[in-house]
Amino acid sequence: MMMKHKFLFIAAMAVCGSSLPAGAQRLTDAVDPFIGSGGHGHVFVGASLPFGGITVGPTQVESGWDWCSGYHWSGKYVRGFAPMHLSGTGCPDLADILLMPVTGSVDMTVGDTTKRTSGFYSTYSHQRENCRPGYYEVLLDRYGIRARMTATKRVAYEEYHYPVGSDARVVVDVENGIGWNVPTSCELRQLDDTTLVGHRFSRGWASDRRHYFVIRFSRPMKSWTTAPSQAKAENGGPAFPVGYGAAAFDVTADTVVGVRMALSSVSLAGAMANLDNESAGRSFEQVKTSADSVWNAALSRVEATFDSERERRIFYTALYHTMIHPTLYGDTDGSYRGSDGKNHRSDGFDNYTVFSLWDTYRALHPLFTLIYPEYQHDWAQSLLAAEREQGFLPIWPLTSSETGCMVGSPAVPFLADLCLKGLVADVPAAYEAMKRSMNHNFRGLPYLNKMGYVPCDKVRESVSVSLENYIAFAGVARVAKLLGRDAEAAHYDSLSRSYVKLYDSQTGFFRGRLSTGEFRPGDFHPGHHTEDFTEGTAWQYLWLVPHDVDGLISLVGGPGRFEQRLDSLFVVSSDLGESAQPDITGLIGQYAHGNEPSHHIIYMYNRIGKPWKAAQRLHRIYEEMYADKPDGLSGNEDAGQMSAWYVLSALGFYPVDPMGGRFDIGSPIVRTATLHVGGGRTFKIVVHRKQSGDIYVAGLRLNGKSYGKTYIDYDTLTKGGVLEFEMTSEPTDFGTQPDAWR
C-alpha cells in the first residue's frame, strides 16, 4: 500500500506588515511566477502542484541557454503547450509532446519565425498572459485563441477558447523537443472520437527518456489527420510514421475545447489509469480551484509578515519556486521506470525524480526538513531505490536517466542530513548505500580513497571534485558515528579532512595537484576560472569546507587572517579570465551569489565573531540579487536552491554545514514568521526593529529567555517555540565571543 501524503491545510492568516493594509489574503496572491523568467533565472512558467508530476505550460520557438525551461520572458513565439518542464536548470530537456490550438489550415512544421506564413507557432503579449500557482493562461495573437491550463499531480488540464465559428484545430507535435532532445521512437494514433494515445521516447540530457501519453478531448473530433515526422530514426532509417497530428472540432455553438493529458513512464495502460484516477468527473474550474487551495496550504507552512509588499512578493515567490522540484515520477499504482531501464513498483513510498542535488543539498533540502518533513521518507527512498537499480546514489537524476551532471557525490550529504535528523527509517541501509557510492570506481573516487585528493592530471575540475567529496566523506563519517561504527567513522573523517592536501600555503588557495604531488605548474590566477574548478575560481572554492570550518580557519592562518581573506573576497577584481562560464554570476568582487558554492560563505563571519559583517553583506544581497521583476534572480534558480537561500536568510538563519541541523544566525527580513514544523508544532520568529536600517542583531530571546548563541539547531526549531530578534542600526558585541559559536 503506497503512503499518501497530504498537505496540512492551514487557514491563511493576515500576512501584512505594519505598512500594509490589514486583513487576510491568500498567499497565492503574493506569488509572481514570472520572477526569474528573465535574465538567467530559467524558471518554469506554467501550472503545477507542489512537487507534482505535471508542469504544464508554454514552450517557445526561441532556443538557447536561457530557454532551458522552454520559456524566457524575452521570447515572442509560442509553439505549443507541453505537460512537463524543468525549472531553473542549466541544461535543457522535457518541454515536448506539444499541443497547439490553431485555426484554419495547418502547416505541420515549427517553421521559420521570420516567415509568418509557415509553422503553427503564434505571437503573444505579456499583457494578455497570466500565471499564478496552479494556473496559466495566454491569448495566442495569431489565432485569437485563449489557452488556459491547470493540473493535478499526474494530469494536465487545458482549455482552448476559440473565436466563434472558426475552423478550430489542435495540433499534436510528438517530434520536437528543446535543446539536444531528439526523438528515438514516436507513436501517435486515434483511439476513439475523443481520445488520442501514443508515446515519445527521446535522447537528450536524459539519455533514455520514455513517456506514454493519453490525450482526451471534451468533445468528439470532427476529423483527425496526421503527417510523418521530419526527423529520421536514430539509426539513420526512415522517418517515424507520424510526427504530427491535427484534430478538428466544431465550435459554432460552444467555443471551448477541453483537454486532459496524462503520462506514464511504464505503459499506455498506466497513462490511462492516471487519467481516469485523477480526473474523472472533475471540471477545469474544479481542478483550478483545488490547485489554488493546495498551493495556498503549501505556502502557509511559513506564515510571514513584512514591512513592504515587495519583500512579501519576493519571499513567497521564492517559497513557491522551492516547490516545483523534486517531481513525482510514478503512476497511481506506484509503477515507474527505474534507472536500470526496467519497470518497478514503489513499496511504501511515492517515487520522485529531478533532484538537482549539487545545488540543492546545501539549503533547499535542509529547509524542507523543517517545513515539509513528511516528504523526506519518499525522497530518501527514491534515491535509495535508484542506488539499488544503478549501483550508486544518484547525482542528477532526470526521469529514468542519470545525467551525471556536476561533480562530487551530492546525494550523500543529503541522505546524511536526513539520517542525523532521524528522518530515515532504515539508517543502516542508507549508510551502506552511502559507503558503496563513496567507494565506487568512478568520478575520481579511487584517487580520493587512495591518495586523499584527485590529481589534476587525471581528472578535470579536480579541486572541485575533491572538495565536494570531502563534504560527502564527512557525512558518511557522521552516520557511521551515529551507528556506533567508530573505526569506520574515524576513517571517513580522516578522508574528509584531506582538503589540506590541496592547500598551497604560498598562494593561500586550494590548487590543482598533480599525481606526482606537485601543484599544477604555470601562472596561477586565483580569480580566473580554470579547468581545475567547476563553475568557479580558486577564490570562490577557498571556502568550500563547510563541514570543518574551524579546521579551515586554522589552515589559512587563524581568525584574523581568515577575516582578512573573507573581506578581500568581496572587493577583489571580478575579472574571471578568458574561460569564464555564464553560470558564474551575481558577482560582488569574487563572491558569486548566482552559483551555489558561494551560498554559505557570508555566514562564515559568525565563526570568527563578526556577525555584524555578515549582516552588512546579507542586506546587500537582498537588495541587489533578488527583485520582484522577471530579471529578479542573479543566476539559475537551480531547482529551488537560489530561492531556498532567500527564504532561510529572510527568516534569519542558514546552514553553513548542510548536515546535522546547525543553522547560523543572520539578519532577518521578516517582521514575524510562523513555521509549521510538523506534528502540529510551530516555531515563531519575531523581529523587533524600529526602522529599516536596523540590520544588526543586538540580542536574541528563545522562549522568553536570553539566548547568546549565533546558531540554532534543528531539534530546537522542530520542538516548537519562539525566537525573538532585537535589532539595531549599529553593530553590537552580540556574537563576538567564542562561546557564542562554539
Side-chain angles (χ1 to χ4, degrees):
M1 182 105 181
M2 292 181 62
M3 294 179 64
K4 299 295 181 185
H5 298 315
K6 297 181 180 179
F7 280 98
L8 178 62
F9 280 73
I10 307 164
M13 299 172 60
V15 289
C16 300
S18 58
S19 63
L20 299 174
Q25 190 174 6
R26 294 184 69 80
L27 296 180
T28 48
D29 294 337
V31 175
D32 180 0
F34 292 112
I35 292 175
S37 66
H40 299 315
H42 299 188
V43 300
F44 161 66
V45 172
S48 67
L49 289 186
F51 314 116
I54 292 294
T55 46
V56 59
T59 300
Q60 296 176 335
V61 171
E62 294 91 344
S63 62
W65 186 59
D66 281 328
W67 276 265
C68 287
S69 73
Y71 180 100
H72 191 266
W73 183 257
S74 66
K76 295 179 173 59
Y77 304 96
V78 173
R79 64 179 171 93
F81 303 99
M84 296 179 71
H85 295 82
L86 293 170
S87 186
T89 60
C91 294
D93 211 319
L94 309 182
D96 51 19
I97 315 178
L98 292 160
L99 304 184
M100 183 63 177
V102 302
T103 59
S105 60
V106 180
D107 174 8
M108 286 191 281
T109 64
V110 172
D112 182 350
T113 58
T114 64
K115 299 177 181 178
R116 293 176 178 264
T117 57
S118 68
F120 48 82
Y121 64 87
S122 175
T123 56
Y124 74 102
S125 166
H126 293 307
Q127 284 69 43
R128 298 182 181 90
E129 181 183 36
N130 179 37
C131 190
R132 58 182 288 118
Y135 179 72
Y136 175 84
E137 72 169 89
V138 68
L139 180 69
L140 301 174
D141 296 334
R142 181 175 180 180
Y143 306 110
I145 298 169
R146 186 164 66 107
R148 308 171 70 216
M149 49 212 66
T150 186
T152 69
K153 287 182 179 180
R154 298 176 177 86
V155 180
Y157 270 70
E158 302 179 42
E159 270 192 357
Y160 306 138
H161 295 245
Y162 292 86
V164 176
S166 60
D167 185 7
R169 302 173 190 269
V170 175
V171 175
V172 184
D173 175 2
V174 295
E175 175 180 320
N176 291 285
I178 64 172
W180 52 86
N181 176 329
V182 296
T184 56
S185 177
C186 295
E187 179 192 26
L188 175 61
R189 58 187 172 87
Q190 183 178 9
L191 186 64
D192 56 43
D193 63 354
T194 61
T195 310
L196 305 173
V197 296
H199 72 254
R200 187 180 192 273
F201 302 164
S202 63
R203 171 180 52 80
W205 190 22
S207 60
D208 183 12
R209 182 163 65 87
R210 304 188 180 196
H211 276 109
Y212 301 86
F213 61 86
V214 55
I215 300 167
R216 185 163 291 158
F217 297 108
S218 61
R219 64 174 66 190
M221 290 174 272
K222 189 168 63 173
S223 65
W224 169 248
T225 57
T226 61
S229 169
Q230 299 176 25
K232 291 186 177 182
E234 198 170 22
N235 60 7
F240 305 119
V242 177
Y244 306 87
F249 299 91
D250 181 357
V251 293
T252 53
D254 183 357
T255 63
V256 180
V257 175
V259 186
R260 291 175 292 149
M261 182 177 184
L263 307 173
S264 169
S265 63
V266 173
S267 66
L268 184 56
M272 194 73 72
N274 292 338
L275 184 74
D276 293 339
N277 290 336
E278 287 200 359
S279 70
R282 302 182 70 189
S283 69
F284 183 96
E285 290 301 325
Q286 287 173 325
V287 172
K288 175 177 176 285
T289 299
S290 175
D292 188 81
S293 295
V294 171
W295 272 111
N296 196 67
L299 294 166
S300 295
R301 291 296 179 93
V302 183
E303 296 174 305
T305 66
F306 299 87
D307 290 329
S308 73
E309 184 62 29
R310 173 188 180 274
E311 291 169 347
R312 181 173 181 265
R313 187 160 45 246
I314 294 172
F315 181 90
Y316 277 109
T317 301
L319 187 58
Y320 163 78
H321 278 143
T322 67
M323 291 184 276
I324 306 299
H325 301 309
T327 302
L328 182 66
Y329 188 62
D331 296 344
T332 53
D333 68 352
S335 298
Y336 69 94
R337 184 170 184 264
S339 301
D340 54 1
K342 300 177 182 178
N343 293 336
H344 299 268
R345 182 170 294 184
S346 58
D347 182 13
F349 70 98
D350 286 336
N351 190 61
Y352 284 80
T353 188
V354 189
F355 289 88
S356 184
L357 291 165
W358 183 84
D359 308 289
T360 59
Y361 83 83
R362 305 169 199 271
L364 181 75
H365 288 291
L367 168 65
F368 288 157
T369 65
L370 292 174
I371 59 175
Y372 302 115
E374 72 273 27
Y375 279 97
Q376 306 313 309
H377 171 78
D378 286 359
W379 294 342
Q381 293 305 311
S382 297
L383 298 185
L384 291 170
E387 191 270 341
R388 293 191 296 271
E389 294 158 9
Q390 67 185 21
F392 55 92
L393 285 167
I395 297 158
W396 212 119
L398 173 56
T399 62
S400 49
S401 294
E402 174 56 73
T403 68
C405 189
M406 309 312 290
V407 298
S409 306
V412 174
F414 164 63
L415 277 175
D417 185 45
L418 297 189
C419 289
L420 295 169
K421 291 174 176 174
L423 295 171
V424 173
D426 190 345
V427 175
Y431 174 68
E432 293 301 327
M434 292 160 63
K435 272 205 316 182
R436 284 192 296 270
S437 286
M438 295 309 295
N439 285 282
H440 208 279
N441 189 31
F442 75 153
R443 293 171 63 89
L445 286 169
Y447 296 110
L448 276 164
N449 280 287
K450 183 179 180 180
M451 304 172 63
Y453 69 96
V454 176
C456 62
D457 53 337
K458 301 295 184 181
V459 178
R460 281 186 57 85
E461 302 179 342
S462 62
V463 177
S464 299
V465 172
S466 299
L467 291 171
E468 290 286 354
N469 277 302
Y470 295 140
I471 301 169
F473 280 131
V476 180
R478 294 178 192 178
V479 178
K481 186 173 181 61
L482 178 70
L483 294 172
R485 303 184 185 184
D486 293 341
E488 293 181 20
H491 169 70
Y492 287 110
D493 182 68
S494 177
L495 283 172
S496 79
R497 298 175 193 274
S498 296
Y499 62 85
V500 298
K501 296 186 176 183
L502 293 180
Y503 187 72
D504 177 7
S505 59
Q506 291 189 352
T507 62
F509 290 95
F510 293 121
R511 293 187 57 191
R513 191 172 179 180
L514 301 170
S515 52
T516 55
E518 298 88 358
F519 290 110
R520 182 187 290 278
D523 294 337
F524 174 67
H525 300 282
H528 289 186
H529 172 258
T530 71
E531 61 183 304
D532 291 335
F533 298 94
T534 303
E535 296 180 0
T537 69
W539 262 116
Q540 292 149 19
Y541 273 92
L542 174 60
W543 321 97
L544 195 60
V545 190
H547 58 290
D548 186 22
V549 179
D550 287 344
L552 179 63
I553 292 171
S554 177
L555 183 66
V556 302
R561 179 61 176 153
F562 191 82
E563 181 182 1
Q564 292 173 359
R565 302 298 301 280
L566 264 178
D567 290 345
S568 297
L569 173 70
F570 296 92
V571 297
V572 295
S573 170
S574 298
D575 177 19
L576 302 174
E578 295 180 357
S579 64
Q581 294 178 317
D583 297 88
I584 312 174
T585 58
L587 290 168
I588 301 175
Q590 280 281 322
Y591 175 84
H593 192 74
N595 213 24
E596 282 66 26
S598 288
H599 276 187
H600 67 290
I601 295 174
I602 291 176
Y603 288 89
M604 283 182 157
Y605 276 111
N606 282 14
R607 309 299 180 92
I608 53 172
K610 298 296 173 63
W612 57 273
K613 286 193 171 183
Q616 293 172 342
R617 287 155 179 82
L618 288 172
H619 280 268
R620 182 173 179 182
I621 299 297
Y622 298 154
E623 292 299 319
E624 295 183 7
M625 303 298 172
Y626 294 89
D628 56 343
K629 58 184 181 180
D631 188 7
L633 292 173
S634 60
N636 288 355
E637 170 61 21
D638 282 315
Q641 169 62 24
M642 284 289 292
S643 288
W645 185 95
Y646 188 89
V647 169
L648 284 167
S649 295
L651 293 172
F653 45 74
Y654 186 88
V656 169
D657 186 336
M659 301 172 293
R662 173 172 168 154
F663 293 84
D664 279 87
I665 298 294
S667 179
I669 298 174
V670 300
R671 175 67 74 173
T672 65
T674 299
L675 282 62
H676 295 267
V677 294
R681 297 180 300 276
T682 61
F683 190 87
K684 189 170 184 179
I685 297 163
V686 179
V687 181
H688 302 286
R689 59 172 170 259
K690 296 178 180 178
Q691 55 190 357
S692 60
D694 292 348
I695 67 172
Y696 302 102
V697 178
L700 298 173
R701 287 192 301 274
L702 179 62
N703 299 325
K705 297 180 180 179
S706 178
Y707 184 77
K709 299 293 186 181
T710 54
Y711 66 90
I712 189 166
D713 61 41
Y714 172 81
D715 289 341
T716 300
L717 290 165
T718 55
K719 285 177 183 176
V722 181
L723 180 65
E724 295 179 78
F725 287 79
E726 290 291 342
M727 308 298 292
T728 184
S729 60
E730 297 293 336
T732 71
D733 61 358
F734 172 79
T736 58
Q737 299 303 310
D739 60 354
W741 65 87
R742 299 201 189 283

